[in-house]
Amino acid sequence: MYLNRIYKNFHLTISIISALLLFFIVTLKAGNTSTIFSVLQDLVAITLLFSLSVQIKEYIRINKISFLSLTFAVAVLLGILLMSIWTAQMFMDNLVQKLNAELSVFSFASNVVGIIYFCIFAFGLTFIFVVLKEFYYSKRIKYNPIYFQLLIAFGILSALSFTIFQEINQAVSTAFMVVTILLIVKNSFGISWIAFLNKKEKYKLLLISLAITVLASVLVGYSADISLHSETLKSYSTGFNRIALLILIYSLVYFGVLFFTVLFHLPTAEAFDRKAEEVSSLHLFSTLINQVIDFDELADTITDLTRKVSTADASWIVMKNGNTYETISLKNISEKDITEINNYLLYSGECKNLTKAKICSIEKSSVKSKLSEHLSSVIISPLKTQTEVKGYLLAARKSGLLFYDDEAKAINAFSEYASIALENSRLLKESIEKERLEKELDVAREMQRKLLPANDPKFNELQISSIFIPAFEVGGDFFDYYTDKENEFSFIIGDVAGKGISAAFVMAEIKGIFESLSKILASPKEILVKANRILSRTLHRKNFVSALYGKINFITSEFEFARAGHCPALLIRDGEIIKYQPKGLALGLDYTESFSENLDDLKIKLRMNDTLIFYTDGITESKNQNNEDFGDNRFVETIKRNLDKNIEQIAREIISEVSIFANNSTQYDDITLLILRWNKN
């Protein structure tokens, strides 16, 4: 288990071992100036730096630290290192003397403090070096690691040669150091990653790089050979002191170059930010076009992005609604100002037949004084489909700033994407609404089907045939049979004004009312009057119901019915067709006593083979492609041609004639046909 942990933290283990080795070497060395000891210390120090760099690099990779945050971290670390030097100066002199003294309690204690001091600088400078390496390799067009690898190689050679030849000849070490510094200068140019920062980030980077340059300059001074700080580091590794100096020089040069590079980038930063925003917005639009998104939410997104892309103070969208324009989204502008600008640009003909974005100055126009905000310039761009301008996208600026041509081009491209996205969203909205209506119609059809009788009843004295054909939008036709009373058959046929699920609900209510009333009342007129009274409590004032209620007494052969605004009843007797249309208002039109006063009961004594026909206006008002009605005359003539047939054949012939007449026209209303034939003398 411990071996596994050591393996997982291999580089951390190496770092700890390296630091401990340095501690013991310095303790045992006890002031010995042997070159072998010094080279050994350098090798251990380089191992420590390498293991630390691997861990730091992995930490940066995992946490995906931004460039700006890394730069800030470098500044903080340099500050900490400088504070460490200032703090240690109070006891640095005694510390160095005891570090190089013979082994004792005091030298041991000084060594503990000294190794901590050394490790602080080892960690801080390694972190800075790893950051510089990240910056060197980031966002480069060409991968060219050779110069950085040479920098590392010559840096190590410079450190080792400084240790080996410090007592003989420093020319070799100096030569390596000069080459290293030249490579530092070479690697400090070509900083490409700052191009990906926005204007605000560049301002921050400018300040941070200036601070780093100053801090690095001070630290380079403290790393000179004669300083106490430098002597302390040399006690643990002479080569490390040279490496620390090179890293600080690298920081000084790199961030100095970075400071001036950022400074030169600032004038173009705003334009770059705007172009980046344009590209980002167009990319977002390409995504939105293929997404399911609410129309209003999309319009708000477009106005938001328009402000960013054009750096405008306000933006809004107007869509055509007949001969007027309706504002569907606005940002940072009042409805009153929009109305004034619309009147000036759209209704005055100023932007008539506009095909691309146009810049309009309102600085000297009459509309300027009517605005609550000091808007001075407006860009207007059409939102168009392939053949039609659907609306306009507008953006406005304050404070006398005018829009430029490149901004107009950007808004023009932007509005083309916006047009597609809005049109897709509108079509999607219509599709969803259509799907919702179709589901509602399915529910209404199912309700209507369940409310109608499944089969026609069978009697010896009476034949019954019925046909019901629902319309696409579901009308309100209904019929029902009542056979609870002995020797009597009753029925209702009606039509609820309206369509869809609301008509189906009224049908359900009426079915229950008539089913209850047919059991307690005998007269068709009384039943209709009572039903009208009940409906006064629930039926909406815009709704009404036409109905015909009839009953046949099998003993007396008497047919009695009343008609509440419904189609007339037809009686076929001895080859003649007799129309019966007693007066009566539709249910729901009048809830006063006049409803009863204007409703007549009619009784007919039936003879053998008498045929009664009841129907709804879905038959007579069926339309053909010329928008002509099937009409009463065609209906009666169809019946006359089929008088000698049984009632099922008569019903089929009527429906066939209606279908042929309507041809491929859409059926907008239900068709209900009920035929009775009396078989008793």
Side-chain angles (χ1 to χ4, degrees):
M1 184 173 68
Y2 291 108
L3 290 175
N4 190 39
R5 286 183 180 179
I6 291 173
Y7 177 77
K8 287 184 177 178
N9 298 288
F10 177 74
H11 289 286
L12 176 61
T13 305
I14 294 295
S15 299
I16 294 171
I17 291 173
S18 300
L20 290 174
L21 274 175
L22 280 175
F23 176 80
F24 285 115
I25 291 171
V26 171
T27 302
L28 296 173
K29 181 179 169 184
N32 192 321
T33 58
S34 169
T35 304
I36 296 174
F37 271 110
S38 298
V39 172
L40 182 61
Q41 284 176 285
D42 283 355
L43 292 175
V44 174
I46 290 171
T47 304
L48 173 63
L49 297 181
F50 174 76
S51 60
L52 284 174
S53 68
V54 172
Q55 295 171 76
I56 293 168
K57 182 180 179 182
E58 185 66 10
Y59 176 81
I60 293 172
R61 185 188 66 80
I62 293 173
N63 291 279
K64 299 179 180 177
I65 303 174
S66 68
F67 294 128
L68 198 62
S69 298
L70 287 175
T71 311
F72 183 74
V74 169
V76 172
L77 279 173
L78 288 174
I80 291 172
L81 296 181
L82 188 59
M83 290 296 295
S84 299
I85 292 174
W86 288 345
T87 305
Q89 277 182 335
M90 292 182 290
F91 54 87
M92 190 76 77
D93 193 16
N94 290 330
L95 175 68
V96 174
Q97 291 177 7
K98 289 172 182 174
L99 279 174
N100 295 317
E102 293 181 355
L103 184 62
S104 66
V105 175
F106 297 107
S107 65
F108 186 83
S110 299
N111 198 6
V112 171
V113 176
I115 194 67
I116 293 173
Y117 184 82
F118 178 84
C119 287
I120 290 172
F121 275 83
F123 174 80
L125 294 171
T126 305
F127 187 95
I128 294 167
F129 180 75
V130 171
V131 170
L132 291 168
K133 184 182 177 186
E134 289 291 317
F135 287 168
Y136 176 81
Y137 285 107
S138 295
K139 308 293 183 183
R140 283 185 173 268
I141 298 174
K142 293 182 179 179
Y143 181 70
N144 191 6
I146 185 65
Y147 292 109
F148 202 87
Q149 291 170 351
L150 286 174
L151 171 66
I152 295 174
F154 277 94
I156 293 173
L157 288 173
S158 176
L160 292 175
S161 61
F162 182 71
T163 301
I164 295 170
F165 302 112
Q166 61 178 331
E167 301 296 337
I168 306 170
N169 189 346
Q170 289 292 330
V172 176
S173 176
T174 304
F176 283 133
M177 188 169 183
V178 170
V179 174
T180 306
I181 291 174
L182 290 175
L183 287 169
I184 285 173
V185 175
K186 166 70 178 65
N187 292 342
S188 297
F189 286 91
I191 304 170
S192 56
W193 56 270
I194 62 169
F196 298 88
L197 302 179
N198 59 38
K199 186 178 180 181
K200 187 177 179 181
E201 291 173 330
K202 284 174 182 169
Y203 272 116
K204 290 181 180 177
L205 183 61
L206 190 71
L207 295 175
I208 295 172
S209 59
L210 179 62
I212 291 174
T213 305
V214 173
L215 289 170
S217 302
V218 176
L219 283 166
V220 167
Y222 278 108
S223 299
D225 289 344
I226 57 174
S227 71
L228 291 174
H229 158 72
S230 175
E231 291 300 322
T232 305
L233 294 184
K234 282 180 181 176
S235 298
Y236 291 91
S237 171
T238 306
F240 174 78
N241 185 58
R242 178 57 60 93
I243 291 174
L245 178 61
L246 290 172
I247 291 174
L248 290 172
I249 292 172
Y250 194 178
S251 302
L252 174 63
V253 175
Y254 185 88
F255 286 99
V257 173
L258 180 65
F259 174 80
F260 288 103
T261 307
V262 174
L263 198 62
F264 291 134
H265 270 78
L266 281 179
T268 59
E270 189 172 348
F272 179 84
D273 287 354
R274 191 165 60 246
K275 290 297 178 185
E277 188 68 42
E278 288 175 20
V279 173
S280 174
S281 300
L282 293 176
H283 175 70
L284 175 61
F285 263 118
S286 65
T287 306
L288 292 178
I289 286 171
N290 298 312
Q291 280 186 346
V292 178
I293 188 167
D294 178 74
F295 185 85
D296 296 333
E297 183 183 344
L298 176 63
D300 288 342
T301 303
I302 291 171
T303 49
D304 270 339
L305 293 177
T306 301
R307 285 185 59 206
K308 292 178 181 176
V309 168
S310 61
T311 61
D313 295 300
S315 64
W316 65 101
I317 296 174
V318 294
M319 300 298 288
K320 275 187 175 179
N321 185 9
N323 294 323
T324 61
Y325 292 94
E326 179 184 354
T327 305
I328 62 168
S329 178
L330 58 92
K331 286 287 181 297
N332 207 29
I333 189 170
S334 66
E335 289 277 5
K336 176 182 174 299
D337 286 354
I338 289 177
T339 302
E340 294 295 343
I341 294 174
N342 287 351
N343 289 337
Y344 174 67
L345 295 178
L346 300 175
Y347 294 107
S348 67
E350 179 77 16
C351 296
K352 189 177 180 181
N353 300 324
L354 196 67
T355 57
K356 62 181 182 179
K358 178 181 178 182
I359 300 172
C360 304
S361 173
I362 57 176
E363 190 67 35
K364 297 180 180 178
S365 68
S366 58
V367 71
K368 172 79 174 178
S369 58
K370 300 176 184 177
L371 302 178
S372 58
E373 298 286 346
H374 298 294
L375 300 173
S376 56
S377 181
V378 176
I379 283 184
I380 177 170
S381 183
L383 297 169
K384 55 188 178 183
T385 58
Q386 290 182 339
T387 57
E388 183 184 1
V389 174
K390 295 283 189 178
Y392 294 94
L393 174 64
L394 299 100
R397 273 184 181 162
K398 301 177 183 177
S399 307
L401 292 174
L402 299 177
F403 288 104
Y404 300 104
D405 288 341
D406 62 329
E407 291 169 329
K409 290 177 182 176
I411 291 294
N412 196 58
F414 195 71
S415 63
E416 289 178 1
Y417 278 90
S419 302
I420 298 171
L422 286 170
E423 185 67 7
N424 284 353
S425 181
R426 186 187 66 78
L427 292 174
L428 179 66
K429 187 177 181 179
E430 288 182 359
S431 176
I432 292 173
E433 179 65 15
K434 185 178 179 182
E435 185 178 352
R436 186 189 67 77
L437 289 174
E438 287 181 353
K439 287 182 179 177
E440 184 178 298
L441 289 174
D442 287 341
V443 173
R445 290 191 193 97
E446 185 63 18
M447 285 181 63
Q448 190 179 36
R449 188 184 65 77
K450 291 182 176 178
L451 290 172
L452 299 178
N455 299 296
D456 296 326
K458 306 291 183 184
F459 302 102
N460 293 330
E461 299 87 349
L462 185 68
Q463 295 178 41
I464 302 172
S465 177
S466 64
I467 289 179
F468 171 75
I469 302 174
F472 172 73
E473 294 185 74
V474 183
D477 281 13
F478 67 95
F479 69 98
D480 204 358
Y481 305 127
Y482 311 108
T483 58
D484 294 335
K485 294 181 180 178
E486 191 175 358
N487 297 321
E488 189 174 293
F489 166 72
S490 301
F491 66 93
I492 179 77
I493 181 171
D495 185 2
V496 178
K499 299 183 185 303
I501 199 163
S502 60
F505 276 119
V506 177
M507 281 174 56
E509 183 182 9
I510 289 177
K511 176 183 171 66
I513 292 172
F514 279 100
E515 191 166 352
S516 300
L517 294 177
S518 66
K519 295 176 182 177
I520 57 176
L521 298 175
S523 167
K525 177 179 178 179
E526 289 180 6
I527 290 173
L528 289 175
V529 170
K530 187 66 176 178
N532 187 59
R533 198 169 299 154
I534 295 171
L535 287 172
S536 67
R537 298 195 293 264
T538 57
L539 196 64
H540 192 274
R541 61 182 181 179
K542 292 182 178 179
N543 287 350
F544 62 90
V545 181
S546 71
L548 186 151
Y549 188 93
K551 71 172 186 177
I552 296 176
N553 189 306
F554 294 153
I555 304 299
T556 62
S557 301
E558 193 173 68
F559 171 56
E560 182 182 1
F561 76 100
R563 188 186 68 90
H566 196 70
C567 299
L570 301 179
L571 171 63
I572 303 173
R573 175 177 288 174
D574 301 330
E576 296 292 329
I577 299 176
I578 305 168
K579 179 189 291 185
Y580 290 98
Q581 192 169 3
K583 66 178 182 179
L585 292 172
L587 302 173
L589 291 180
D590 187 353
Y591 296 117
T592 65
E593 288 301 320
S594 64
F595 178 83
S596 176
E597 294 169 1
N598 288 289
L599 187 67
D600 287 344
D601 244 349
L602 192 62
K603 294 182 180 179
I604 300 172
K605 188 74 173 181
L606 297 174
R607 301 176 192 172
M608 184 69 179
N609 291 326
D610 273 358
T611 301
L612 292 163
I613 299 178
F614 309 95
Y615 60 98
T616 59
D617 58 6
I619 292 178
T620 55
E621 295 181 1
S622 288
K623 297 183 183 300
N624 61 12
Q625 293 178 331
N626 298 322
N627 206 31
E628 297 172 335
D629 287 346
F630 184 71
D632 292 336
N633 293 335
R634 288 190 180 89
F635 182 45
V636 171
E637 289 301 320
T638 303
I639 296 171
K640 283 181 178 178
R641 288 197 297 272
N642 298 282
L643 287 175
D644 56 338
K645 297 179 180 175
N646 62 45
I647 58 175
E648 285 80 11
Q649 290 174 324
I650 294 173
R652 284 197 295 272
E653 290 296 332
I654 292 171
I655 297 303
S656 175
E657 285 293 323
V658 172
S659 299
I660 293 171
F661 174 80
N663 197 3
N664 294 323
S665 299
T666 304
Q667 180 191 336
Y668 290 102
D669 202 359
D670 295 342
I671 290 176
T672 305
L673 180 63
L674 176 61
I675 303 179
L676 312 177
R677 178 162 287 175
W678 184 247
N679 292 329
K680 181 181 176 184
N681 287 320

